[in-house]
Amino acid sequence: MAPNFRDDPTNDLNSFARGLSITPQPTANGKDGAGAENSTNATPAMSKFHMPPGAVHLRILQTTDLHMRLLPYDYTREGSSSTDFGLIRCAPVIKALRQAAPNSLLFDTGDSLQGNALGDYLAKLGPKRGARPHPMVATMNLIGYDAATLGNHDFNYGLAFLQAAMADAQFPVVCANAVRRAGRTPEKDKTLFPPWAILKRRVQDAAGNTFDLRIAVIGFIPPQVPIWDHSILAGQLSSRDILQSAQAWVPLARKAGADLVVALAHSGIGADQYAHGMEHACLPLARAGGVDVILAGHSHQVFPRPDFPPSAGIDPTRGTLYGCPTVMAGFWGSHVGMIDLALMRGPKGWQIMQARSLAMPLVPCPNPAAKSAAFAPQAPAIMANIVADHQATLAHIGQHIATLPMPLDSGFALVADTPLIRMMAEAQRRFIRGKLRGGPYADLPLLSAAAPFKAGGWAGANYYCRLPAGPLALRNMCDIYPFPNKIRAVKLTGADLTEWLERCASIYFTISPSARDAPLINPAFPSYQFDIPHGAQFEIDLSQPARYDPDGTLANDRAHRIVQVSINGAALAPDAAVIVATNDYRANGGGRFAGCGPDRVVYAGRTENRDIIARFLRDGGITRLTRLPVWRFAPNIGASAVFDSHATAALALPLPGGPRIDPLGPALSSEPNGFARFRLYF
């Protein structure tokens, strides 16, 4: 059995933590997210969390959406070491927090196995990659996780890979709503992993009295997983609604003797009103009762935080959803979630007397010299699990592909048609054209949808695709296309296509004719949903309200932003038939775009979109890109809007054939070397 990081004094990462400057980040009022004064170490001041006499202090810690960020390393940039994120940076924080609270538990809420070139390389080796365990699971074993659940991206490589990876976990992996064979009711299902597990722990109060505590952990994935990965999960996996599963399984865990129920929910904080099959279901889950603590994830947000929108059920100061202590620890190891509980045993069992929730950010390293310490030998046991696969990944992604004749940049991909997105779309379109040649769809108009996967947002000012002219390596393909999606083509009607475009155009706020420097882009709208089908021409009228919410729900059935849709100069009829090249996530229904679903797929290939783009670049296709306009904003005379991009995006201005954009300098809320602000004129 691997040594346990918690208990092995030889695995001391305290010096590593000091070298990387791990401290809680202050908020504007000079206090941490829980209201405690800032400490100079990784442990928030405990003096503000008052323990009633005789109570037991239980600390629950969380990581989520690690996406294979084991090391603070950016595989898309040669020789890059970013000390901001990574599980190895979380490890000393976790250790310090556990040392300060002997009664502690550590959980992960999914999306750990996929997300960078290291994860993709391991998947290409297959589930039987040798005797060594998966490095993410091995590292979790070493750090001492108590339980984990799955995320939607953990299924991207197929069930065989997922099950092989998790087979080496020295902790329970639970998931209540991923179903191999459905029964008449949830409790009759054959689930992929156990729906819940009970952890038996002996805890101690301040006076030294010991008690036996039984903590049930139950896991949930978004029920859309079988849809999003239909091409590799069809016939192998189904799912159930999160709330439906909780209402069936939680009472059974209670009946089995659970004193406390912790929900490991790979689900975000979404709508308050329950709807069957909700992707972000934590609010209805909390309101339904039955669970005592919720560890949320999936949406890559941070909770609690002072600027999180409050509501009747959301308390962003106390960190509760309908009174249920809740935390969501960002993504990539950017935060460590912590919930402190004061438990008291009474006639009706254990009760939560007080609770405190905190998402602790890992502060970026202020010392550039410390960047070289990212792989220093202060963490030998952890590095031993990683270094061989890390080096093999670097060798794999260092392969030369092509030479770029021009720079490719996603800095303005959300506000104009850019060469990067046009190149991605054209690569897919040429591939599908060849596959449909001579078949029943060969003569239909062929469009190709592409989105800017890396466009800042919550991931920060460094999260852009920025490729200079010159040599292009395989690592850069992960920069252009981060996900292992596979190529698809769907058949749409003209009406479907217009709705697809309305879904994309809903990323923008409404801009009135009198607006001056109005905010342009809704930060709640993921950039990968700005999936513009190239091959059609149209305008976006932002004087009209958005038709869709960020999650794809119809928000205003009278709103119409898309005007003058045409293909090859001819107006598009609602009943016209078109083919759209896309990926398996979108084609199977991911993102809730019109005209998508397995029944609409006319071509399903095994080739990854990323490989198609690489082949296109290798063959020199980028030198033959058409310059036909795809879309533009409808004139809105006198109006202007502002948006943020990376600091060097201004070098691409003015945009050939694009709107007028002026740089305004650093964004007001930006850190050094962070976002820059730009003004767009209509």
Side-chain angles (χ1 to χ4, degrees):
M1 180 176 293
N4 189 304
F5 175 75
R6 288 180 293 176
D7 306 323
D8 187 350
T10 65
N11 296 329
D12 185 5
L13 294 191
N14 286 335
S15 59
F16 186 66
R18 288 193 296 271
L20 297 182
S21 184
I22 299 173
T23 58
Q25 245 181 8
T27 57
N29 62 4
K31 298 176 181 293
D32 66 29
E37 299 296 332
N38 279 317
S39 172
T40 57
N41 55 40
T43 307
M46 291 303 299
S47 59
K48 298 295 181 180
F49 185 64
H50 300 291
M51 293 290 299
V56 169
H57 174 212
L58 179 66
R59 173 165 290 177
I60 295 174
L61 302 174
Q62 179 215 26
T63 58
T64 190
D65 295 271
L66 292 169
H67 286 287
M68 276 305 292
R69 262 65 175 189
L70 279 165
L71 302 175
Y73 191 91
D74 184 352
Y75 289 95
T76 67
R77 291 172 172 83
E78 185 175 7
S80 174
S81 175
S82 169
T83 58
D84 293 357
F85 303 136
L87 182 55
I88 198 170
R89 290 201 70 234
C90 294
V93 179
I94 292 168
K95 181 175 182 179
L97 291 170
R98 300 195 83 157
Q99 287 177 335
N103 307 319
S104 61
L105 298 164
L106 173 62
F107 303 118
D108 184 79
T109 48
D111 272 7
S112 60
L113 302 180
Q114 181 277 337
N116 61 14
L118 175 58
D120 290 342
Y121 176 73
L122 294 171
K124 287 183 183 298
L125 296 180
K128 299 185 183 300
R129 47 181 289 274
R132 291 180 296 115
H134 191 285
M136 175 60 79
V137 176
T139 302
M140 288 180 163
N141 289 338
L142 193 63
I143 292 174
Y145 278 75
D146 291 279
T149 193
L150 309 171
N152 53 296
H153 284 291
D154 294 322
F155 292 83
N156 288 168
Y157 304 130
L159 293 188
F161 183 87
L162 172 59
Q163 290 177 300
M166 292 304 179
D168 290 310
Q170 297 169 6
F171 48 84
V173 178
V174 294
C175 188
N177 63 329
V179 179
R180 291 301 301 267
R181 186 174 64 247
R184 289 183 300 171
T185 57
E187 59 269 26
K188 301 294 185 181
D189 290 344
K190 179 183 179 182
T191 55
L192 181 66
F193 288 90
W196 52 272
I198 290 184
L199 310 178
K200 300 176 182 178
R201 298 292 187 267
R202 177 152 290 188
V203 296
Q204 192 175 64
D205 65 14
N209 301 309
T210 60
F211 306 89
D212 290 326
L213 188 65
R214 297 164 62 89
I215 305 102
V217 287
I218 183 169
F220 304 104
I221 58 169
Q224 291 78 12
V225 165
I227 297 174
W228 295 338
D229 273 325
H230 179 268
S231 56
I232 57 175
L233 299 179
Q236 301 182 66
L237 192 80
S238 62
S239 64
R240 284 196 185 267
D241 174 77
I242 290 176
L243 194 59
Q244 178 190 41
S245 297
Q247 291 174 335
W249 290 113
V250 169
L252 295 181
R254 294 283 188 189
K255 187 176 180 180
D259 300 306
L260 195 73
V261 177
V262 178
L264 311 182
H266 193 77
S267 182
I269 302 171
D272 185 53
Q273 186 65 36
Y274 168 73
H276 184 80
M278 291 179 73
E279 178 181 352
H280 302 289
C282 284
L283 266 174
L285 179 63
R287 185 172 55 188
V291 299
D292 300 294
V293 172
I294 295 177
L295 306 185
H298 181 50
S299 64
H300 289 206
Q301 291 183 290
V302 176
F303 182 85
R305 70 174 195 267
D307 60 342
F308 199 97
S311 72
I314 302 174
D315 188 331
T317 301
R318 293 180 57 232
T320 60
L321 303 181
Y322 284 102
C324 180
T326 303
V327 74
M328 180 160 38
F331 57 98
W332 300 353
S334 63
H335 294 69
V336 174
M338 183 180 78
I339 296 178
D340 282 321
L341 301 175
L343 302 176
M344 190 81 74
R345 188 167 68 173
K348 296 184 178 180
W350 289 93
Q351 302 292 322
I352 298 176
M353 307 305 294
Q354 289 191 32
R356 177 181 70 170
S357 300
L358 173 66
M360 285 189 52
L362 273 65
V363 179
C365 180
N367 179 12
K371 289 182 181 293
S372 62
F375 309 119
Q378 289 95 332
I382 292 180
M383 287 304 302
N385 290 323
I386 304 170
V387 66
D389 291 313
H390 171 68
Q391 295 295 340
T393 300
L394 292 181
H396 174 68
I397 64 177
Q399 301 173 62
H400 178 77
I401 292 178
T403 299
L404 281 180
M406 66 181 76
L408 297 176
D409 195 312
S410 63
F412 296 121
L414 294 178
V415 299
D417 180 33
T418 61
L420 171 65
I421 306 303
R422 194 181 308 133
M423 179 274 297
M424 296 166 63
E426 186 61 20
Q428 295 173 167
R429 178 158 57 177
R430 291 190 185 186
F431 181 89
I432 291 297
R433 181 182 293 122
K435 295 299 180 181
L436 299 183
R437 187 174 293 121
Y441 307 109
D443 295 330
L444 294 179
L446 176 58
L447 285 66
S448 180
F453 293 105
K454 299 176 67 173
W458 291 331
N462 289 322
Y463 195 64
Y464 288 88
C465 179
R466 291 176 287 175
L467 301 177
L472 189 78
L474 188 59
R475 71 168 48 83
N476 302 124
M477 298 313 303
C478 299
D479 207 12
I480 294 172
Y481 208 106
F483 302 103
N485 298 130
K486 292 181 173 58
I487 189 70
R488 294 290 184 273
V490 292
K491 182 182 178 183
L492 273 62
T493 66
D496 292 332
L497 180 62
T498 300
E499 287 300 306
W500 182 309
L501 297 173
E502 290 283 2
R503 172 82 169 95
C504 296
S506 296
I507 194 173
Y508 303 114
F509 290 118
T510 304
I511 308 296
S512 68
S514 61
R516 301 293 184 272
D517 290 354
L520 178 64
I521 297 171
N522 183 350
F525 198 111
S527 66
Y528 60 81
Q529 306 290 27
F530 190 70
D531 204 5
I532 296 294
H534 283 57
Q537 295 79 47
F538 59 96
E539 289 186 351
I540 301 175
D541 182 1
L542 293 189
S543 68
Q544 300 299 310
R547 185 168 172 83
Y548 290 93
D549 285 338
D551 66 355
T553 303
L554 183 64
N556 188 332
D557 61 359
R558 297 185 178 182
H560 298 284
R561 285 181 165 178
I562 301 301
V563 294
Q564 300 182 22
V565 183
S566 64
I567 296 179
N568 297 326
L572 181 66
D575 59 350
V578 298
I579 303 297
V580 176
T582 182
N583 58 54
D584 52 350
Y585 168 80
R586 181 72 71 235
N588 292 330
R592 303 172 70 179
F593 278 63
C596 292
D599 60 323
R600 295 294 194 98
V601 174
V602 297
Y603 175 80
R606 296 182 178 181
T607 309
E608 291 186 4
N609 297 65
R610 184 163 48 199
D611 293 337
I612 290 169
I613 296 169
R615 187 182 309 169
F616 180 81
L617 291 168
R618 186 182 295 115
D619 296 341
I622 193 171
T623 63
R624 300 185 294 275
L625 283 181
T626 62
R627 295 187 176 273
L628 294 175
V630 177
W631 66 275
R632 66 177 185 177
F633 293 113
N636 199 347
I637 304 301
S640 65
V642 293
F643 64 94
D644 294 342
S645 187
H646 63 83
T648 58
L651 297 176
L653 296 176
L655 299 179
R660 176 186 166 188
I661 297 174
D662 290 344
L664 300 178
L668 296 178
S669 60
S670 180
E671 298 293 330
N673 302 316
F675 286 108
R677 183 144 295 178
F678 295 85
R679 176 184 291 128
L680 182 144
Y681 297 89
F682 295 93

